[in-house]
Amino acid sequence: MTLAGAALLTLPLSGTAFADAKPQPAATPTAPQSAATVTAPRPTHSNPVTPTVPQDQLAKGRDDARKVELKVSVDPDRVRAGDSYDVTITAKGLRSGTAIVTGPEGKSYRVALSGGKATKTLTVPSKAKPGSETVTVKVGNKTATASFDVVAPRPQRHHDHDGK
């Protein structure tokens, strides 16, 4: 029985109340419904969001991105092809979060910030040509870059195997 049907059964019946009513088609049986499935519409509430703060920072209670000062450096600033270098990230005003580090070859890495700092070690491909390269780091809506020079790899030493 539906809730509407149950409500009709509880109304007091008087002969004149239904005398003028038009005949209605017989109700078809339906599956029982619980009172929990019938709900009144709820009012909607909007929570204004400041558009300059990334959603992930609002949801996680992170610091306001507008106050972040992002700095990136590469050490050493001259790297031989085939060698590694460190990308140091400092996000002043941000305690935690994620930085996206993109190397010169276009590959990106996610790095967790702790205390607003992080370091990622990257390697220059052994066949990289000498020249200036750039690493890009993005934190929230801030982007910073650092450049370094790739220098030729060390020459390979050839050893004679006959003892000379």
Side-chain angles (χ1 to χ4, degrees), residues 4 36 50 59 91 110 149 152:
T50 306
R110 295 178 75 81
D149 291 320

Side-chain angles (χ1 to χ4, degrees), residues 68-141:
V68 174
E69 182 182 335
L70 182 61
K71 292 184 180 179
V72 179
S73 63
V74 174
D75 186 41
D77 59 356
R78 291 176 50 91
V79 185
R80 289 193 183 275
D83 286 355
S84 297
Y85 59 97
D86 288 332
V87 178
T88 302
I89 306 155
T90 305
K92 187 176 180 182
L94 188 66
R95 291 184 298 274
S96 63
T98 302
I100 306 296
V101 178
T102 304
E105 299 81 34
K107 188 169 181 181
S108 295
Y109 307 89
R110 295 178 75 81
V111 181
L113 296 170
S114 177
K117 297 181 180 184
T119 301
K120 176 68 178 167
T121 301
L122 299 177
T123 302
V124 175
S126 59
K127 296 185 181 191
K129 298 190 184 297
S132 181
E133 295 290 352
T134 302
V135 174
T136 303
V137 175
K138 186 169 182 165
V139 176
N141 61 356

Side-chain angles (χ1 to χ4, degrees), residues 13 18 25 34-35 40 51 91 108 122-124 134 141-142 146-147 152 161-162:
L13 299 176
F18 291 108
S34 68
S108 295
L122 299 177
T123 302
V124 175
T134 302
N141 61 356
K142 304 284 185 177
S147 296
H161 294 290
D162 56 348

Side-chain angles (χ1 to χ4, degrees), residues 8 21-29:
L8 286 175
K22 293 182 183 177
Q24 298 293 325
T28 57

